[in-house]
Amino acid sequence: MSDRELPGIVVTGASGRMGQMLARLLLESETARLVGVLERPGHDWIGKDIGEAMGGTAVGVTVSGDAVATIAQAQAVIDFTSPAASVAFAELTAQARAVHVIGTTGFEDADLVPLKAAARHAPIIRAGNMSLGVNLLMGLTRKVAAALGEDWDIEVVEAHHRHKVDAPSGTALMLGEAAAEGRGASLADLRTPAREGITGPRETGSIGFSAIRGGNVVGEHDVIFAADGERIVLRHLATDRAIFARGAIRAALWGQDKGPGEYDMADVLGLG
Ligand SMILES: NC(=O)C1=CN([C@@H]2O[C@H](COP(=O)(O)OP(=O)(O)OC[C@H]3O[C@@H](n4cnc5c(N)ncnc54)[C@H](O)[C@@H]3O)[C@@H](O)[C@H]2O)C=CC1
Ligand SMILES: O=C(O)C1=N[C@H](C(=O)O)C[C@H](O)C1
């Protein structure tokens, strides 16, 4: 396949932690090509070559604030930004009939309505964690939760870098949902509100969440099953953001021959 035939990918949030990682990997990729990068209007990277903006040499791709024109060139858009930005990109990506890979976390239920509408026109692949390890851990969590009774309390503990703005993390919520599914319920029914003050004793069968923020932690998640006298801890440690970026690129390529609809990383990885 010549370079021109490789699926053309646009990366949003180009100056962000994930945006830069994605741009670097796509510039080296032999299976996809970087055709555009977006930043929010007014950002000081707009108009600069992405290679130079990242501190290297020019690569011939200019950071743009014009989402309509940039997404029009894309076969896929990889998007790790903010919930409001991802909702707006979903409409434009659907209009371009391109695959939208969404890694953004922190969505409210109301944000999911326009995403569902956009997925009627093109594939949307969305996951709070794009790594193979976490998506495997979800299956393990579901199985362990199903095997253990309600005398085993379930807690999800996560740690992230000091810049993260949402809590619990998207991954923690995915793991909590998997645990709830294992118990034949939905997380909305089992989730304990954040604890502070006189909370009273733990409610049997509930699922609790704790978030640590500090330093440059890439992402750590423990699912703790605690009973009287023993504990099981399922743990994932991310030490390199490349695991998320590789998963997102894999999803963008996987989506090329898929019809409109909502997909997740379990679909991409064949773990469904
Ligand atoms: N699903 C997954 O595997 C992972 C998800 N994430 C999530 O991805 C999101 C971004 O994470 P980071 O890269 O660490 O954040 P970041 O803050 O470093 O980057 C976000 C970027 O998006 C840009 N942005 C915001 N609005 C925009 C708009 N309208 N148009 C274009 N660009 C816009 C910002 O200027 C910023 O450069 C977060 O929600 C995070 O939780 C992060 C890592 C892995
Ligand atoms: O913001 C991050 O950094 C991460 N966000 C995702 C999440 O909310 O779970 C995935 C990963 O843990 C890193």
Side-chain angles (χ1 to χ4, degrees):
M1 195 183 272
S2 79
D3 265 14
R4 287 208 157 278
E5 292 170 272
L6 296 177
I9 303 207
V10 162
V11 171
T12 64
S15 79
R17 282 171 286 276
M18 283 304 299
Q20 291 194 52
M21 178 60 76
L22 283 156
R24 285 182 209 285
L25 290 186
L26 284 165
L27 286 166
E28 291 166 4
S29 175
E30 291 177 0
T31 54
R33 71 201 156 98
L34 185 67
V35 294
V37 285
L38 284 167
E39 249 307 337
R40 64 185 152 70
H43 194 278
D44 63 4
W45 281 28
I46 289 178
K48 294 185 179 162
D49 184 280
I50 182 70
E52 290 177 337
M54 292 192 298
T57 53
V59 296
V61 180
T62 304
V63 182
S64 172
D66 183 345
V68 175
T70 304
I71 289 175
Q73 316 164 56
Q75 273 81 57
V77 173
I78 303 185
D79 177 17
F80 290 69
T81 51
S82 69
S86 292
V87 166
F89 288 137
E91 191 181 337
L92 302 180
T93 307
Q95 279 165 12
R97 300 294 187 263
V99 175
H100 192 183
V101 178
I102 304 178
T104 306
T105 58
F107 290 102
E108 304 284 345
D109 286 348
D111 297 323
L112 305 182
V113 176
L115 295 187
K116 192 174 270 305
R120 286 203 285 272
H121 306 285
I124 291 186
I125 304 161
R126 184 171 68 88
N129 195 304
M130 303 267 171
S131 74
L132 174 61
V134 159
N135 284 278
L136 282 173
L137 188 63
M138 283 175 64
L140 296 175
T141 300
R142 202 175 288 118
K143 274 195 185 145
V144 175
L148 300 173
E150 280 198 340
D151 50 332
W152 289 76
D153 300 324
I154 303 177
E155 292 282 317
V156 183
V157 181
E158 52 104 338
H160 282 88
H161 52 93
R162 62 169 72 93
H163 304 287
K164 186 161 178 62
V165 296
D166 55 312
S169 69
T171 310
L173 293 171
M174 283 166 63
L175 292 166
E177 193 63 68
E181 279 167 22
R183 293 225 160 138
S186 89
L187 182 59
D189 295 330
L190 301 186
R191 183 174 173 176
T192 301
R195 298 188 186 99
E196 192 178 311
I198 310 295
T199 59
R202 198 179 192 288
E203 198 176 317
T204 303
S206 62
I207 298 178
F209 292 86
S210 309
I212 295 162
R213 295 287 175 266
N216 63 353
V217 179
V218 174
E220 303 185 353
H221 293 87
D222 279 1
V223 186
I224 302 170
F225 297 85
D228 290 345
E230 57 181 325
R231 256 180 303 159
I232 298 168
V233 182
L234 302 181
R235 170 171 294 171
H236 183 266
L237 303 178
T239 54
D240 185 343
R241 286 187 179 82
I243 61 170
F244 312 129
R246 277 193 230 109
I249 294 168
R250 182 168 173 171
L253 297 175
W254 177 89
Q256 290 305 304
D257 61 358
K258 301 298 176 296
E262 292 184 284
Y263 304 93
D264 60 20
M265 279 308 282
D267 297 316
V268 174
L269 297 169
L271 302 172

